[in-house]
Amino acid sequence: MKFPSFIRKRKDILIRVVAFLMNRPGLFSLLTPYRWWLRYRAPHPDIHSFSYQATLEYLQKLYGRSRPVMWSSLYFPAEFIHAAGGIPFYPEIASGMVAALGLAPFALERAGSEWFSPDMCSYHRIATGLSLAKLFPRPDILFASSNICSGTVPFFQTMASIWKAPLFLVDVPPSFTLESARYVREQLVEISAKTKEITGQPLQWAEPLRHSHRAHRLMEDLVRLRRENDTLFTPPGKNIDYLPYYYQFIGTQISVHFLEKLVEHAKKANAVPPEKIKAVWLHLKPFFPNSLTEMLENADIAVCAEEFTLPYWEAWNGEEVLGWAAKKMMASSVFLEADQRIAAIIRLLRETRAHAAMQFTQWGCRQSQGMNELLRRALREEGYPLLTLDGDHLDHSHYSEEQLRTRIDAFAETVKNTMT
Amino acid sequence: MDGLTAGVDIGSRTTAAVLALGGKLVGSALVETGTQPQDVGKKALQKALYDFGEKAPRKMVTTGYGRFQFSSSDTVSEITCQARGSSHLFPKAAMVVDIGGQDSKVILVRKGKAIDFAMNDKCAAGTGRFLEMMAQALGVSLHEFIALAGRGKEGVRLSSTCAVFAESELISLVAAGKKPEDIARAVAGAVARRVMGLIRRVGLQRPLVLTGGVARNAAIVDALSAELGFTPLVPTEPQLTCALGAALIAAQG
Ligand code: SF4
């Protein structure tokens, strides 16, 4: 849509004012009374209020810059950042939250105006747009690993150049061998030393490891509870909306408290009715307001597990810490390498006694798109139908409600035909 | 009338209404969908009922992308309806390929029921819309384009399957002095190859039924037959099979 120039000018001014305010750390202390009031009103918050309060506190710390802000790609361990005394910021997760607030069009337009191609993944385009507009928090350090997708490293390099901040890249080989684990660990040793130079303090691992260990246990409990009790969360997995607790807050009490509440919730949640189709949800889902949940409900599909909320790594068991962190980074290959991912998905389908798998494939995502056919064939051999929906998790302009509904309804009908 | 049921298929380009009685198609109507899917379903149904001399069906099922706009009936996806309608006409059908105005579908069928399917992604290549775009680029009507393709000879190939790139490729073929009829034939070949990709995704099965508006296009049927290595079964009214399936489903319950 093209706005008249005076409105466009005003919009620009408004954005500049917001950016100015976002870059005034002192202003964020004004949130404290509101947070106190929230805590006073709900001393034992339910999971949603807890999440709201935790997010508010996080934003206050992040934009208030109470500690160094450290950006990170998804599979760089958050425990490292907490040990370094930083506030983690995962731009890809934040882009999801921005889309959920309906602000993606502005960010995408901003990135597009500086020739960032619409062929790029929208997770990266949104983060680029908001960095150009200086609405994301300025990083003091950026960390990224090479093993997510071919877009991640250049994206983080672009961010480092926009923000003029140091970037530490970890090259993560796809398969686990003692040699490759040593290679990753050596890089982490070097990065720890450089991080210490910047922050002026050594990494303090005790607390983050303790919390990470506890969170891991709780995530395992959740998987077990959902499997044993056939527990149903709101499709397509309210879990996925709570992504920060599985990534950036891991290694803090926030994640632990959140997961404790989720375990309690899972103990009480309803079982999946037998007439419903139990599906495992792969990759992520659209974050902007949409009717996916309603469509799944109408089609009698219940999501019984999500790929992105699984405890994919092994909990710390007292071993040398950077060796463990290296192993955790390498464990993410279970989402990223075709053979490992497909085997893990089949295991998950069997363990959860699911009928089918569904994936909302991200537009321009070479990582998940690329292996779709391999996945489809492997699942078919195992007797599991797979529905891949094509769209964009963040960019609403690639979303067609009717196309989605037809595919979901037809999928449910065909799965039911094979069930009976 | 007691057992009269109706199926209404509100597609992106055309809307079909079918009346069924005792498992037989007894009336039908086909209208352009236009911009008002909520009204067009009613219009098609009324036309079919008027021609048949009835006021209302006993039961009705609506299908197609506009099915939720037509609130007064049960809805079933076009995949299930297409499988049902095609296997009614060809009881041994194992696969249905439906090439519609905006999307194409390949459906694996067992005993009249859909058990797997694949649909084209957002890209228009391999759909009726692609043919329209290519006809426009050649400066002829769709009707003329089909006639041209029928006269064309092999030898020109359109390598792009993306609608946007195919258009510029087509323009360069014109500039290179290729005959319009050979280019039109090449377009039909490109559509057939794209549809073959979808067929392979599900796994080719015979007998294969070809439905949808594009199934009336002899050039496409020829091109697809060449890709398949056999001639698909084409119903007399390939645009009505989905609505027929809906009417038969309505009769069941
Ligand atoms: S969605 Fe795909 S392309 Fe985008 S960042 Fe994730 S892995 Fe990379």
Side-chain angles (χ1 to χ4, degrees):
Chain A
M1 184 166 60
K2 201 139 176 90
F3 294 104
S5 72
F6 72 93
I7 297 184
R8 265 188 287 151
K9 265 186 208 142
R10 279 205 195 148
K11 204 168 101 189
D12 281 356
I13 293 168
L14 182 71
I15 302 283
R16 260 186 251 154
V17 170
V18 174
F20 176 81
L21 295 174
M22 301 285 259
N23 287 288
R24 292 291 161 283
L27 277 180
F28 286 83
S29 56
L30 297 177
L31 280 175
T32 307
Y34 176 52
R35 281 186 36 228
W36 283 345
W37 179 73
L38 283 176
R39 219 177 287 160
Y40 169 75
R41 263 195 40 188
H44 306 291
D46 65 8
I47 202 153
H48 305 292
S49 319
F50 175 82
S51 182
Y52 179 63
Q53 290 186 19
T55 306
L56 212 62
E57 186 183 339
Y58 169 68
L59 289 175
Q60 188 181 20
K61 282 186 186 154
L62 187 69
Y63 283 95
R65 308 196 72 84
S66 60
R67 284 180 277 129
V69 173
M70 301 184 185
W71 284 32
S72 167
S73 66
L74 207 56
Y75 295 114
F76 185 86
E79 294 89 339
F80 184 107
I81 297 176
H82 297 299
I87 303 171
F89 180 75
Y90 284 60
E92 284 131 336
I93 295 182
S95 295
M97 302 304 144
V98 166
L101 293 171
L103 301 173
F106 159 73
L108 292 166
E109 195 183 308
R110 186 71 175 84
S113 70
E114 303 228 0
W115 293 104
F116 284 90
S117 161
D119 260 7
M120 262 170 69
C121 169
S122 54
Y123 284 96
H124 292 155
R125 272 188 296 143
I126 288 186
T128 303
L130 292 179
S131 292
L132 289 168
K134 301 286 183 243
L135 289 171
F136 265 0
R138 176 177 50 77
D140 293 294
I141 309 177
L142 300 101
F143 301 103
S145 67
S146 64
N147 60 339
I148 299 186
C149 65
S150 55
T152 302
V153 170
F155 162 71
F156 269 84
Q157 285 167 331
T158 308
M159 291 303 100
S161 109
I162 291 177
W163 291 103
K164 301 191 179 22
L167 164 66
F168 299 133
L169 282 173
V170 187
D171 181 27
V172 182
S175 3
F176 184 89
T177 60
L178 286 179
E179 192 45 48
S180 56
R182 199 173 309 131
Y183 170 60
V184 176
R185 184 187 168 275
E186 275 163 15
Q187 296 175 71
L188 288 176
V189 169
E190 204 177 310
I191 290 174
S192 302
K194 287 184 180 155
T195 306
K196 188 181 148 196
E197 270 172 33
I198 295 174
T199 60
Q201 56 176 35
L203 274 74
Q204 318 256 351
W205 283 95
E207 285 243 314
L209 286 178
R210 189 162 52 83
H211 293 315
S212 168
H213 189 271
R214 175 86 184 115
H216 191 276
R217 278 274 160 82
L218 289 162
M219 283 167 81
E220 282 179 334
D221 285 352
L222 260 176
V223 173
R224 189 177 39 77
L225 273 169
R226 289 179 76 179
R227 194 174 57 216
E228 284 169 6
N229 302 345
D230 260 1
T231 306
L232 168 64
F233 284 173
T234 323
K238 196 67 195 160
N239 262 356
I240 287 176
D241 289 349
Y242 291 133
L243 220 48
Y245 302 95
Y246 294 89
Y247 291 89
Q248 74 203 35
F249 294 141
I250 288 284
T252 68
Q253 237 172 3
I254 299 176
S255 236
V256 171
H257 286 334
F258 173 82
L259 289 163
E260 279 169 354
K261 285 184 185 292
L262 210 54
V263 165
E264 283 315 305
H265 177 72
K267 282 182 183 160
K268 285 183 252 156
N270 298 328
V272 180
E275 71 278 8
K276 288 231 178 203
I277 296 166
K278 278 175 71 172
V280 163
W281 193 267
L282 308 177
H283 207 279
L284 296 169
K285 68 172 185 71
F287 283 87
F288 47 78
N290 63 77
S291 319
L292 189 60
T293 302
E294 182 193 284
M295 285 182 209
L296 292 173
E297 264 167 11
N298 290 342
D300 262 351
I301 297 175
V303 173
C304 61
E306 305 94 17
E307 188 183 23
F308 268 51
T309 60
L310 298 172
Y312 63 89
W313 73 98
E314 278 187 23
W316 180 69
N317 60 7
E319 67 212 284
E320 193 276 321
V321 70
L322 290 179
W324 168 81
K327 276 202 287 180
K328 181 176 179 187
M329 289 185 86
M330 299 192 76
S332 60
S333 294
V334 76
F335 299 128
L336 310 169
E337 291 303 313
D339 292 350
Q340 296 183 46
R341 179 172 183 242
I342 291 169
I345 291 170
I346 293 173
R347 250 193 333 266
L348 188 60
L349 282 157
R350 283 196 196 129
E351 284 170 7
T352 53
R353 298 185 299 276
H355 301 108
M358 300 177 81
Q359 173 172 283
F360 194 103
T361 307
Q362 164 74 345
W363 179 261
C365 173
R366 273 56 170 171
Q367 185 264 326
S368 57
Q369 280 277 15
M371 64 176 91
N372 269 355
E373 273 317 297
L374 287 177
L375 178 64
R376 183 188 309 282
R377 268 182 237 155
L379 292 196
R380 188 183 290 156
E381 268 172 31
E382 297 289 326
Y384 293 110
L386 165 72
L387 177 67
T388 49
L389 300 161
D390 296 298
D392 197 300
H393 298 160
L394 312 178
D395 184 352
H396 195 268
S397 65
H398 288 299
Y399 174 82
S400 159
E401 191 121 323
E402 285 318 318
Q403 287 200 1
L404 204 63
R405 197 189 301 278
T406 296
R407 283 157 178 77
I408 289 175
D409 285 355
F411 183 65
E413 287 160 8
T414 52
V415 172
K416 282 192 173 169
N417 284 341
T418 51
M419 277 160 73
T420 48
Chain B
M1 196 178 283
D2 234 15
L4 187 74
T5 60
V8 179
D9 169 21
I10 307 175
S12 58
R13 317 300 291 224
T14 50
T15 293
V18 159
L19 303 177
L21 185 63
K24 286 206 171 72
L25 187 155
V26 292
S28 66
L30 205 56
V31 296
E32 295 279 319
T33 298
T35 51
Q36 306 287 331
Q38 63 276 37
D39 299 337
V40 79
K42 207 186 218 172
K43 195 168 137 195
L45 178 68
Q46 277 169 354
K47 189 167 183 303
L49 285 167
Y50 180 82
D51 292 347
F52 185 66
E54 271 301 321
K55 283 211 171 58
R58 177 180 60 84
K59 192 134 197 293
M60 179 167 78
V61 162
T62 314
T63 184
Y65 100 99
R67 63 190 182 280
F68 291 101
Q69 319 270 357
F70 199 39
S71 53
S72 58
S73 78
D74 288 346
T75 58
V76 177
S77 82
E78 50 265 53
I79 305 286
T80 295
C81 293
Q82 198 59 264
R84 183 78 175 84
S86 301
S87 352
H88 183 76
L89 300 174
F90 302 99
K92 291 203 172 124
M95 174 163 271
V96 179
V97 175
D98 178 70
I99 311 180
Q102 296 281 9
D103 55 31
S104 17
K105 321 167 186 73
V106 174
I107 309 162
L108 206 57
V109 184
R110 196 183 298 149
K111 293 185 190 145
K113 286 184 172 171
I115 54 162
D116 197 4
F117 71 98
M119 285 176 89
N120 67 312
D121 44 32
K122 280 154 39 82
C123 179
T127 69
R129 176 78 192 115
F130 180 76
L131 288 177
E132 279 174 15
M133 285 166 77
M134 296 302 115
Q136 236 169 36
L138 267 184
V140 296
S141 71
L142 186 59
H143 200 69
E144 288 164 328
F145 184 83
I146 293 165
L148 273 179
R151 296 199 300 273
K153 288 198 182 65
E154 266 185 47
V156 178
R157 191 178 163 97
L158 205 65
S159 55
S160 266
T161 43
C162 163
V164 178
F165 290 129
E167 194 168 339
S168 50
E169 200 180 337
L170 186 144
I171 290 164
S172 36
L173 287 173
V174 173
K178 301 286 178 202
K179 287 188 190 151
E181 52 266 42
D182 297 344
I183 298 176
R185 188 183 166 119
V187 170
V191 171
R193 283 198 302 282
R194 183 79 183 183
V195 172
M196 268 316 282
L198 268 189
I199 293 176
R200 283 194 202 100
R201 206 156 134 180
V202 179
L204 174 64
Q205 297 282 326
R206 288 176 78 167
L208 184 150
V209 181
L210 183 63
T211 64
V214 177
R216 301 174 70 162
N217 181 329
I220 299 283
V221 178
D222 284 352
L224 191 61
S225 306
E227 290 289 330
L228 287 166
F230 61 89
T231 310
L233 303 166
V234 181
T236 331
E237 301 271 17
Q239 282 159 293
L240 297 183
T241 43
C242 189
L244 171 64
L248 296 171
I249 291 170
Q252 277 167 356

